[in-house]
Amino acid sequence: MIQTACPLDCWDACGITVDPARPEALVSTPTHPMDNGALCALLNKHMHEAPRITTPRIDGQAVSMEEALDAVASALRSDRSLLWRGSGHLGVMQSVTDLLMERVGGTLTSGSLCDSAGQAGVEAGRGINRHLPPEQIAQAEVVVVWGRNITVTNKHLMPYLEGKRLIVIDPVRTPIAKRAEIHLQIKPRTDFYLAMLLARFSIMEDGEDHAWLERFGSEWEEFYEFTREFRIKAILAHMGLSLDQMGDMLRLIQTHKTVFLVGIPLQHYIQGHAVTWAIDSLAAVLGLFGREGCGVSYMGSSRQGFDNPFAVSLPRVPTVTAPFERFETVLVQGGNPAESMPDSNRVQAALDGVKNLIYFGLYDNETSARARIIIPAKNFLEKEDIRLSYGHQYVTPMHKVTEAAYGISEYDFVTEIVQRLELEPIESEEYYLSAWLDQCREENGQRVLPDYHPLPYADGFGEEGDEAFVFIDEYEDDDEPIGFRRFRKPREESFDGHYWLLTPKSLKALNTQFVRKSEVYLSAECGFAEGERVRLRNKQGELELTVKLSEDVRPDCALVYGSTPGVNRLTPAHLSEEGEGACYGEAKVQIERVG
Ligand SMILES: Nc1nc2c(c(=O)[nH]1)N[C@H]1C(S)=C(S)[C@@H](COP(=O)(O)OP(=O)(O)OC[C@H]3O[C@@H](n4cnc5c(=O)[nH]c(N)nc54)[C@H](O)[C@@H]3O)O[C@H]1N2
Ligand SMILES: Nc1nc2c(c(=O)[nH]1)N[C@H]1C(S)=C(S)[C@@H](COP(=O)(O)OP(=O)(O)OC[C@H]3O[C@@H](n4cnc5c(=O)[nH]c(N)nc54)[C@H](O)[C@@H]3O)O[C@H]1N2
Ligand code: SF4
Ligand SMILES: [Mo]
């Protein structure tokens, strides 16, 4: 039996063993405590249902791999080459292509479509982003699920929530919200204010953790002054929440071991970094860092503590707003930017103008449809790799199980191109695999991150782990409603026909892969009927969808799964103020009947 792990972009990183005689039968083999021994339907789709690209193509014609690689090599002779990498496979070996770009003098991207704004906020407060180990989550008494859809995106955390008191903060009544003791069905884009009000009330009621603050958060009184800039009544009315709800939540989190599980969409805003920073600041007031059974779990940085053998120093453009039109050659690896990037009308036009668009992936999609050169990838059973996780500290080797009938691994792709261009060869595959694995630590017989700490921030913050927590001290939002600050007059908020567009993950799709429906979920209060065709529209673009009525969505929101074809025609290409993150959440839409 050969050990590997699920490569898909998911918090869980499930362990798998495979009998090489029957490579199609994957056996779930938990390699870490967060893995409960069940592989999900997404992996089945990845392995068996999604039709793979089986032959290289140039201008739509099937060619041999040799011819295709020759064409890639000649395209990469351009001095204007860009590599845009998605997150289709989470193995570390995906990044080996950075070494290729270094050798050809190309450009890479920075920031991400996913978590980078929130990561910047976490780093602002804590210095570095350490995982909250699942073992700490297991010991919590109260769990605050803050904008994470656990039953869909992070299933293996469910057993950890058994028997705990649950608070959910989400504009949608998600399955986990239905089971929660308190559900704050918050207006989108207001989590920053909620965190600030909760911190303020906590200090007003003397609920802060004095001993902890003395040691690790000496600036807390300045922070309290900052929270007092925000007007309570106007903000509560705007969020659609009551003082009683604040009180109920505070009573629970001030008196119990509490964990915050923070999700992705609440930081998909221009001020996204301020949201995670404010949530961390609230947690600091309550003394939740470095305490057993407490803490804040945001998407961890899976490479925390590693010396990256693929590190290169090259010019970069933002992943979120990549100016494809400035490049002659664009290599897209493991992603579908034509659909997954915001403002896809702009993105698709820019990709259409690229002379040499190269697509390197497993499946055909909206990006491969535009590519001049298509290189089929190998899947995870056909190559060596190492799986890190953004949800926990465990590291799993991914061994090759079977020979590929077609396709090429990322490592072989780089060596083939480097050879053709007569550039400096890269090291052996084993060299890089060991460079990652040799840095890992052993903890109770498991391989974990190099600087893993069972109780993160127990001794303090920053690179050395001995500094104070830095509280958030500013927030400048150009769109802040009038009346939110002490010195400005309140204004009545009313719905103006522009719905907040929510684009969460769906159960049967993984980002733009697999099952992709074209539906919009609306509250019956919006006045549309089940099955009706509607057009969503804003200044970025428009999209026709079929109405599904749902009691779970706020009447001022339109929920369209992020996997829906064309959904990013409606999202703006803003960059978050910090972290170069995507701002899918800044989209509002008007809705009209079609016909
Ligand atoms: N509106 C909206 N848009 C969003 C989001 C949102 O919340 N709302 N979320 C964003 C987020 S969080 C993310 S992470 C991005 C994801 O966006 P992308 O990273 O673009 O991911 P996918 O669309 O899933 O494309 C993954 C592709 O990887 C390829 N692939 C799979 N395995 C391999 C492999 O081993 N090698 C190679 N070379 N290729 C492989 C497959 O062909 C697949 O088509 O989307 C973002 N887009
Ligand atoms: N089945 C499945 N699983 C996946 C993925 C997938 O495509 N399909 N994608 C993977 C990837 S790339 C990622 S990044 C993770 C993401 O994992 P999650 O963070 O769980 O992502 P989402 O489903 O986008 O959103 C979670 C919740 O945030 C809520 N939300 C939206 N806007 C706001 C807001 O302003 N404030 C608050 N408080 N909540 C808000 C949504 O209603 C939703 O219930 O999931 C991973 N797992
Ligand atoms: S839950 Fe996530 S890691 Fe596990 S099999 Fe499914 S997609 Fe893969
Ligand atoms: Mo993501």
Side-chain angles (χ1 to χ4, degrees), residues 261-291:
L261 305 178
V262 179
I264 290 301
L266 56 71
Q267 51 89 58
H268 273 158
Y269 296 104
I270 294 172
Q271 294 292 331
H273 75 287
V275 182
T276 51
W277 196 3
I279 291 173
D280 276 1
S281 296
L282 165 65
V285 163
L286 299 168
L288 298 183
F289 289 107
R291 226 166 84 197

mmCIF file of all heavy atoms in Angstrom, residues 261-291:
data_model
loop_
_atom_site.group_PDB
_atom_site.id
_atom_site.type_symbol
_atom_site.label_atom_id
_atom_site.label_comp_id
_atom_site.label_asym_id
_atom_site.label_seq_id
_atom_site.Cartn_x
_atom_site.Cartn_y
_atom_site.Cartn_z
ATOM 1 N N LEU A 261 -13.574 30.433 14.681
ATOM 2 C CA LEU A 261 -13.205 29.834 13.392
ATOM 3 C C LEU A 261 -13.583 30.835 12.305
ATOM 4 O O LEU A 261 -14.759 31.009 11.997
ATOM 5 C CB LEU A 261 -13.954 28.520 13.169
ATOM 6 C CG LEU A 261 -13.808 27.459 14.267
ATOM 7 C CD1 LEU A 261 -14.650 26.229 13.912
ATOM 8 C CD2 LEU A 261 -12.346 27.064 14.437
ATOM 9 N N VAL A 262 -12.591 31.502 11.774
ATOM 10 C CA VAL A 262 -12.834 32.621 10.869
ATOM 11 C C VAL A 262 -12.722 32.158 9.416
ATOM 12 O O VAL A 262 -11.747 31.501 9.045
ATOM 13 C CB VAL A 262 -11.819 33.748 11.152
ATOM 14 C CG1 VAL A 262 -12.027 34.915 10.197
ATOM 15 C CG2 VAL A 262 -11.931 34.203 12.605
ATOM 16 N N GLY A 263 -13.710 32.489 8.603
ATOM 17 C CA GLY A 263 -13.742 32.064 7.203
ATOM 18 C C GLY A 263 -13.170 33.099 6.249
ATOM 19 O O GLY A 263 -12.557 34.093 6.664
ATOM 20 N N ILE A 264 -13.379 32.848 4.968
ATOM 21 C CA ILE A 264 -12.722 33.618 3.916
ATOM 22 C C ILE A 264 -13.508 34.857 3.448
ATOM 23 O O ILE A 264 -12.940 35.943 3.319
ATOM 24 C CB ILE A 264 -12.397 32.660 2.730
ATOM 25 C CG1 ILE A 264 -11.278 31.694 3.150
ATOM 26 C CG2 ILE A 264 -12.001 33.403 1.468
ATOM 27 C CD1 ILE A 264 -9.983 32.376 3.574
ATOM 28 N N PRO A 265 -14.842 34.753 3.182
ATOM 29 C CA PRO A 265 -15.505 35.905 2.556
ATOM 30 C C PRO A 265 -15.488 37.183 3.396
ATOM 31 O O PRO A 265 -15.549 38.272 2.834
ATOM 32 C CB PRO A 265 -16.953 35.423 2.357
ATOM 33 C CG PRO A 265 -16.855 33.946 2.329
ATOM 34 C CD PRO A 265 -15.751 33.602 3.277
ATOM 35 N N LEU A 266 -15.389 37.088 4.713
ATOM 36 C CA LEU A 266 -15.459 38.328 5.494
ATOM 37 C C LEU A 266 -14.235 39.214 5.280
ATOM 38 O O LEU A 266 -14.218 40.370 5.685
ATOM 39 C CB LEU A 266 -15.699 38.041 6.984
ATOM 40 C CG LEU A 266 -14.751 37.137 7.758
ATOM 41 C CD1 LEU A 266 -13.411 37.786 7.989
ATOM 42 C CD2 LEU A 266 -15.380 36.760 9.084
ATOM 43 N N GLN A 267 -13.185 38.665 4.606
ATOM 44 C CA GLN A 267 -12.023 39.507 4.293
ATOM 45 C C GLN A 267 -11.902 39.761 2.776
ATOM 46 O O GLN A 267 -10.902 40.289 2.314
ATOM 47 C CB GLN A 267 -10.748 38.905 4.875
ATOM 48 C CG GLN A 267 -10.525 37.428 4.532
ATOM 49 C CD GLN A 267 -9.775 37.202 3.245
ATOM 50 O OE1 GLN A 267 -8.654 37.669 3.083
ATOM 51 N NE2 GLN A 267 -10.381 36.462 2.299
ATOM 52 N N HIS A 268 -12.933 39.380 2.013
ATOM 53 C CA HIS A 268 -12.923 39.686 0.575
ATOM 54 C C HIS A 268 -13.437 41.105 0.342
ATOM 55 O O HIS A 268 -14.381 41.329 -0.430
ATOM 56 C CB HIS A 268 -13.771 38.667 -0.195
ATOM 57 C CG HIS A 268 -13.021 37.422 -0.594
ATOM 58 N ND1 HIS A 268 -13.650 36.227 -0.876
ATOM 59 C CD2 HIS A 268 -11.688 37.189 -0.783
ATOM 60 C CE1 HIS A 268 -12.738 35.320 -1.205
ATOM 61 N NE2 HIS A 268 -11.546 35.879 -1.144
ATOM 62 N N TYR A 269 -12.834 42.046 1.046
ATOM 63 C CA TYR A 269 -13.232 43.450 0.957
ATOM 64 C C TYR A 269 -11.997 44.336 0.881
ATOM 65 O O TYR A 269 -10.899 43.902 1.259
ATOM 66 C CB TYR A 269 -14.055 43.846 2.198
ATOM 67 C CG TYR A 269 -15.362 43.091 2.318
ATOM 68 C CD1 TYR A 269 -15.515 42.054 3.241
ATOM 69 C CD2 TYR A 269 -16.434 43.409 1.500
ATOM 70 C CE1 TYR A 269 -16.716 41.360 3.340
ATOM 71 C CE2 TYR A 269 -17.640 42.716 1.594
ATOM 72 C CZ TYR A 269 -17.774 41.690 2.520
ATOM 73 O OH TYR A 269 -18.952 41.009 2.598
ATOM 74 N N ILE A 270 -12.187 45.559 0.435
ATOM 75 C CA ILE A 270 -11.048 46.488 0.335
ATOM 76 C C ILE A 270 -10.370 46.621 1.695
ATOM 77 O O ILE A 270 -9.155 46.646 1.808
ATOM 78 C CB ILE A 270 -11.517 47.858 -0.205
ATOM 79 C CG1 ILE A 270 -11.990 47.687 -1.654
ATOM 80 C CG2 ILE A 270 -10.376 48.886 -0.146
ATOM 81 C CD1 ILE A 270 -12.652 48.900 -2.256
ATOM 82 N N GLN A 271 -11.189 46.686 2.754
ATOM 83 C CA GLN A 271 -10.635 46.774 4.110
ATOM 84 C C GLN A 271 -10.561 45.388 4.771
ATOM 85 O O GLN A 271 -10.679 45.281 5.997
ATOM 86 C CB GLN A 271 -11.523 47.693 4.959
ATOM 87 C CG GLN A 271 -11.533 49.136 4.505
ATOM 88 C CD GLN A 271 -10.193 49.818 4.732
ATOM 89 O OE1 GLN A 271 -9.451 49.467 5.634
ATOM 90 N NE2 GLN A 271 -9.878 50.781 3.877
ATOM 91 N N GLY A 272 -10.381 44.338 3.968
ATOM 92 C CA GLY A 272 -10.402 42.970 4.497
ATOM 93 C C GLY A 272 -9.416 42.724 5.622
ATOM 94 O O GLY A 272 -9.701 41.990 6.570
ATOM 95 N N HIS A 273 -8.243 43.355 5.548
ATOM 96 C CA HIS A 273 -7.238 43.136 6.599
ATOM 97 C C HIS A 273 -7.750 43.657 7.938
ATOM 98 O O HIS A 273 -7.446 43.098 8.985
ATOM 99 C CB HIS A 273 -5.921 43.823 6.237
ATOM 100 C CG HIS A 273 -5.948 45.305 6.418
ATOM 101 N ND1 HIS A 273 -6.637 46.143 5.564
ATOM 102 C CD2 HIS A 273 -5.422 46.102 7.377
ATOM 103 C CE1 HIS A 273 -6.503 47.391 5.990
ATOM 104 N NE2 HIS A 273 -5.777 47.402 7.085
ATOM 105 N N ALA A 274 -8.550 44.738 7.891
ATOM 106 C CA ALA A 274 -9.046 45.330 9.144
ATOM 107 C C ALA A 274 -10.029 44.386 9.832
ATOM 108 O O ALA A 274 -10.181 44.417 11.059
ATOM 109 C CB ALA A 274 -9.711 46.668 8.859
ATOM 110 N N VAL A 275 -10.700 43.529 9.055
ATOM 111 C CA VAL A 275 -11.692 42.633 9.642
ATOM 112 C C VAL A 275 -10.999 41.560 10.495
ATOM 113 O O VAL A 275 -11.339 41.370 11.670
ATOM 114 C CB VAL A 275 -12.569 41.986 8.547
ATOM 115 C CG1 VAL A 275 -13.618 41.091 9.185
ATOM 116 C CG2 VAL A 275 -13.222 43.056 7.678
ATOM 117 N N THR A 276 -10.003 40.880 9.912
ATOM 118 C CA THR A 276 -9.323 39.855 10.723
ATOM 119 C C THR A 276 -8.546 40.499 11.868
ATOM 120 O O THR A 276 -8.458 39.938 12.961
ATOM 121 C CB THR A 276 -8.366 39.000 9.858
ATOM 122 O OG1 THR A 276 -7.516 39.866 9.115
ATOM 123 C CG2 THR A 276 -9.134 38.105 8.908
ATOM 124 N N TRP A 277 -8.041 41.706 11.631
ATOM 125 C CA TRP A 277 -7.285 42.390 12.685
ATOM 126 C C TRP A 277 -8.213 42.778 13.841
ATOM 127 O O TRP A 277 -7.864 42.626 15.024
ATOM 128 C CB TRP A 277 -6.594 43.625 12.086
ATOM 129 C CG TRP A 277 -5.506 44.224 12.920
ATOM 130 C CD1 TRP A 277 -5.019 43.763 14.115
ATOM 131 C CD2 TRP A 277 -4.759 45.407 12.619
ATOM 132 N NE1 TRP A 277 -4.023 44.591 14.567
ATOM 133 C CE2 TRP A 277 -3.832 45.604 13.664
ATOM 134 C CE3 TRP A 277 -4.776 46.319 11.547
ATOM 135 C CZ2 TRP A 277 -2.946 46.683 13.688
ATOM 136 C CZ3 TRP A 277 -3.891 47.386 11.565
ATOM 137 C CH2 TRP A 277 -2.989 47.563 12.633
ATOM 138 N N ALA A 278 -9.417 43.219 13.498
ATOM 139 C CA ALA A 278 -10.383 43.590 14.549
ATOM 140 C C ALA A 278 -10.844 42.347 15.316
ATOM 141 O O ALA A 278 -10.990 42.372 16.545
ATOM 142 C CB ALA A 278 -11.580 44.312 13.925
ATOM 143 N N ILE A 279 -11.052 41.235 14.601
ATOM 144 C CA ILE A 279 -11.471 39.997 15.277
ATOM 145 C C ILE A 279 -10.353 39.528 16.215
ATOM 146 O O ILE A 279 -10.603 39.140 17.367
ATOM 147 C CB ILE A 279 -11.839 38.912 14.234
ATOM 148 C CG1 ILE A 279 -13.127 39.312 13.501
ATOM 149 C CG2 ILE A 279 -11.994 37.547 14.903
ATOM 150 C CD1 ILE A 279 -13.507 38.412 12.333
ATOM 151 N N ASP A 280 -9.116 39.588 15.757
ATOM 152 C CA ASP A 280 -7.979 39.238 16.620
ATOM 153 C C ASP A 280 -7.888 40.190 17.816
ATOM 154 O O ASP A 280 -7.547 39.772 18.929
ATOM 155 C CB ASP A 280 -6.659 39.310 15.830
ATOM 156 C CG ASP A 280 -6.377 38.023 15.057
ATOM 157 O OD1 ASP A 280 -7.202 37.083 15.123
ATOM 158 O OD2 ASP A 280 -5.334 37.951 14.388
ATOM 159 N N SER A 281 -8.195 41.466 17.593
ATOM 160 C CA SER A 281 -8.123 42.439 18.693
ATOM 161 C C SER A 281 -9.183 42.128 19.747
ATOM 162 O O SER A 281 -8.932 42.235 20.955
ATOM 163 C CB SER A 281 -8.299 43.865 18.160
ATOM 164 O OG SER A 281 -7.234 44.199 17.289
ATOM 165 N N LEU A 282 -10.371 41.724 19.290
ATOM 166 C CA LEU A 282 -11.414 41.291 20.227
ATOM 167 C C LEU A 282 -10.927 40.069 21.015
ATOM 168 O O LEU A 282 -11.060 40.002 22.251
ATOM 169 C CB LEU A 282 -12.697 40.950 19.446
ATOM 170 C CG LEU A 282 -13.772 40.160 20.203
ATOM 171 C CD1 LEU A 282 -14.335 40.990 21.364
ATOM 172 C CD2 LEU A 282 -14.901 39.733 19.261
ATOM 173 N N ALA A 283 -10.336 39.115 20.297
ATOM 174 C CA ALA A 283 -9.834 37.904 20.972
ATOM 175 C C ALA A 283 -8.765 38.268 21.997
ATOM 176 O O ALA A 283 -8.688 37.664 23.076
ATOM 177 C CB ALA A 283 -9.271 36.926 19.941
ATOM 178 N N ALA A 284 -7.949 39.271 21.684
ATOM 179 C CA ALA A 284 -6.891 39.686 22.611
ATOM 180 C C ALA A 284 -7.500 40.299 23.874
ATOM 181 O O ALA A 284 -7.050 40.010 24.987
ATOM 182 C CB ALA A 284 -5.948 40.668 21.921
ATOM 183 N N VAL A 285 -8.528 41.117 23.700
ATOM 184 C CA VAL A 285 -9.199 41.709 24.870
ATOM 185 C C VAL A 285 -9.677 40.602 25.809
ATOM 186 O O VAL A 285 -9.592 40.710 27.034
ATOM 187 C CB VAL A 285 -10.391 42.593 24.410
ATOM 188 C CG1 VAL A 285 -11.334 42.880 25.570
ATOM 189 C CG2 VAL A 285 -9.875 43.886 23.798
ATOM 190 N N LEU A 286 -10.151 39.505 25.217
ATOM 191 C CA LEU A 286 -10.667 38.397 26.018
ATOM 192 C C LEU A 286 -9.548 37.447 26.463
ATOM 193 O O LEU A 286 -9.817 36.450 27.137
ATOM 194 C CB LEU A 286 -11.704 37.606 25.205
ATOM 195 C CG LEU A 286 -12.939 38.398 24.751
ATOM 196 C CD1 LEU A 286 -13.726 37.601 23.713
ATOM 197 C CD2 LEU A 286 -13.825 38.757 25.935
ATOM 198 N N GLY A 287 -8.321 37.742 26.055
ATOM 199 C CA GLY A 287 -7.180 36.900 26.446
ATOM 200 C C GLY A 287 -7.239 35.498 25.853
ATOM 201 O O GLY A 287 -6.869 34.516 26.497
ATOM 202 N N LEU A 288 -7.697 35.392 24.606
ATOM 203 C CA LEU A 288 -7.894 34.051 24.028
ATOM 204 C C LEU A 288 -6.636 33.451 23.401
ATOM 205 O O LEU A 288 -6.625 32.268 23.053
ATOM 206 C CB LEU A 288 -8.997 34.078 22.965
ATOM 207 C CG LEU A 288 -10.405 34.466 23.433
ATOM 208 C CD1 LEU A 288 -11.395 34.380 22.276
ATOM 209 C CD2 LEU A 288 -10.866 33.570 24.581
ATOM 210 N N PHE A 289 -5.575 34.249 23.228
ATOM 211 C CA PHE A 289 -4.363 33.696 22.599
ATOM 212 C C PHE A 289 -3.489 32.991 23.636
ATOM 213 O O PHE A 289 -3.317 33.478 24.757
ATOM 214 C CB PHE A 289 -3.557 34.805 21.924
ATOM 215 C CG PHE A 289 -4.215 35.351 20.688
ATOM 216 C CD1 PHE A 289 -4.791 36.615 20.698
ATOM 217 C CD2 PHE A 289 -4.274 34.600 19.520
ATOM 218 C CE1 PHE A 289 -5.401 37.121 19.556
ATOM 219 C CE2 PHE A 289 -4.888 35.101 18.375
ATOM 220 C CZ PHE A 289 -5.453 36.374 18.395
ATOM 221 N N GLY A 290 -2.937 31.860 23.217
ATOM 222 C CA GLY A 290 -1.972 31.153 24.064
ATOM 223 C C GLY A 290 -2.599 30.471 25.256
ATOM 224 O O GLY A 290 -1.909 30.114 26.201
ATOM 225 N N ARG A 291 -3.913 30.285 25.240
ATOM 226 C CA ARG A 291 -4.603 29.633 26.353
ATOM 227 C C ARG A 291 -5.208 28.326 25.872
ATOM 228 O O ARG A 291 -5.782 28.283 24.776
ATOM 229 C CB ARG A 291 -5.716 30.559 26.855
ATOM 230 C CG ARG A 291 -5.761 30.687 28.352
ATOM 231 C CD ARG A 291 -6.635 31.846 28.751
ATOM 232 N NE ARG A 291 -8.038 31.472 28.804
ATOM 233 C CZ ARG A 291 -9.029 32.359 28.806
ATOM 234 N NH1 ARG A 291 -8.783 33.645 28.739
ATOM 235 N NH2 ARG A 291 -10.264 31.957 28.887
#
